[in-house]
Amino acid sequence: EPEVTQTPSHQVTQMGQEVILRCVPISNHLYFYWYRQILGQKVEFLVSFYNNEISEKSEIFDDQFSVERPDGSNFTLKIRSTKLEDSAMYFCASSGPGTNTDTQYFGPGTRLTVL
Amino acid sequence: DQQVKQNSPSLSVQEGRISILNCDYTNSMFDYFLWYKKYPAEGPTFLISISSIKDKNEDGRFTVFLNKSAKHLSLHIVPSQPGDSAVYFCAASAVTGGGADGLTFGKGTHLIIQP
């Protein structure tokens, strides 16, 4: 069964450093998403991406964040200058043809720890 | 601003019995609802969804009921099995027609199936 994959599973970085989280969505999906879950809190939407541009973003997704689909398979989230409060699980998701477009399938997540 | 509420942080059910997980929402623009199951250190796994044009959707042991007038949905699991022990998230989206709509999640209910 096709699945969303994410790398790395755990990333540790120093405050102020740039990090790039990587995702490989399900191959025939067209819509891509990033979410985060701070420990003990609910899963929060960050951004969605379609047709090589941002479709929707939340107020969490400020200028420190950016997304990119550099090739036909990867979807990345970049945090330019990490802060302590960026420590969270980051989940990538995708949806699209072959499934109900509105049903999003999630990857296993990347745990980001900012020291 | 909790647009999706799961008021029971945890629920304990005996194996073989019915598990009923509840979810309330406040945003009348939501028209697509999903249930996800999550184990620790894993991403949310899609279980079942329902569109606002329906009041019930069934898939094997899982049934979701939607009461639009009450802005309430519930997930029934019959019969409950030990492997069902996990955190269950209710999520909703307001499909605005542009695709790639972010999901709004509840805080989750930790279901524990007792042998």
Side-chain angles (χ1 to χ4, degrees):
Chain A
E1 187 176 317
E3 57 182 21
V4 177
T5 59
Q6 291 185 242
T7 54
S9 57
H10 191 187
Q11 174 91 47
V12 181
T13 190
Q14 296 289 327
M15 191 169 57
Q17 295 296 303
E18 174 184 287
V19 293
I20 298 175
L21 310 182
R22 291 183 167 79
C23 168
V24 178
I26 293 172
S27 62
N28 64 339
H29 281 184
L30 301 177
Y31 303 93
F32 315 112
Y33 314 81
W34 283 101
Y35 292 80
R36 77 173 185 191
Q37 185 180 28
I38 295 171
L39 188 64
Q41 298 187 23
K42 61 182 176 179
V43 177
E44 299 173 290
F45 168 71
L46 293 178
V47 66
S48 60
F49 192 84
Y50 170 69
N51 200 26
N52 281 319
E53 60 183 28
I54 289 174
S55 181
E56 183 185 356
K57 60 182 181 179
S58 72
E59 53 193 37
I60 302 168
F61 193 87
D62 61 23
D63 292 344
Q64 292 299 313
F65 293 90
S66 62
V67 289
E68 194 178 30
R69 187 153 163 84
D71 53 44
S73 60
N74 290 284
F75 179 51
T76 62
L77 174 70
K78 182 193 290 185
I79 309 175
R80 227 177 306 280
S81 176
T82 50
K83 302 183 281 247
L84 294 175
E85 54 265 37
D86 293 327
S87 294
M89 283 291 290
Y90 288 80
F91 296 106
C92 173
S94 69
S95 67
T99 61
N100 187 326
T101 304
D102 301 315
T103 298
Q104 298 176 25
Y105 294 86
F106 285 75
T110 293
R111 177 171 298 284
L112 176 65
T113 302
V114 182
L115 303 175
Chain B
D1 175 23
Q2 281 194 75
Q3 296 188 64
V4 177
K5 301 178 192 177
Q6 293 177 258
N7 291 321
S8 299
S10 67
L11 175 67
S12 184
V13 174
Q14 275 210 302
E15 182 179 356
R17 307 293 286 265
I18 183 171
S19 295
I20 300 175
L21 296 99
N22 293 302
C23 177
D24 298 292
Y25 62 96
T26 57
N27 188 341
S28 56
M29 296 298 291
F30 288 148
D31 58 2
Y32 192 68
F33 305 90
L34 309 92
W35 285 93
Y36 288 88
K37 173 181 177 180
K38 188 178 179 303
Y39 295 115
E42 293 186 13
T45 301
F46 170 70
L47 273 178
I48 193 168
S49 62
I50 189 166
S51 163
S52 60
I53 62 173
K54 294 186 172 183
D55 55 18
K56 177 182 173 181
N57 189 26
E58 194 170 349
D59 184 2
R61 296 187 298 116
F62 302 94
T63 304
V64 56
F65 295 93
L66 174 63
N67 183 334
K68 280 181 60 180
S69 60
K71 294 193 177 68
H72 177 84
L73 61 154
S74 61
L75 174 68
H76 293 210
I77 306 173
V78 183
S80 300
Q81 298 174 355
D84 296 330
S85 295
V87 178
Y88 288 78
F89 290 98
C90 173
S93 73
V95 180
T96 57
D101 298 289
L103 296 176
T104 301
F105 280 81
K107 289 188 174 181
T109 296
H110 186 192
L111 177 64
I112 302 160
I113 305 301
Q114 306 274 10

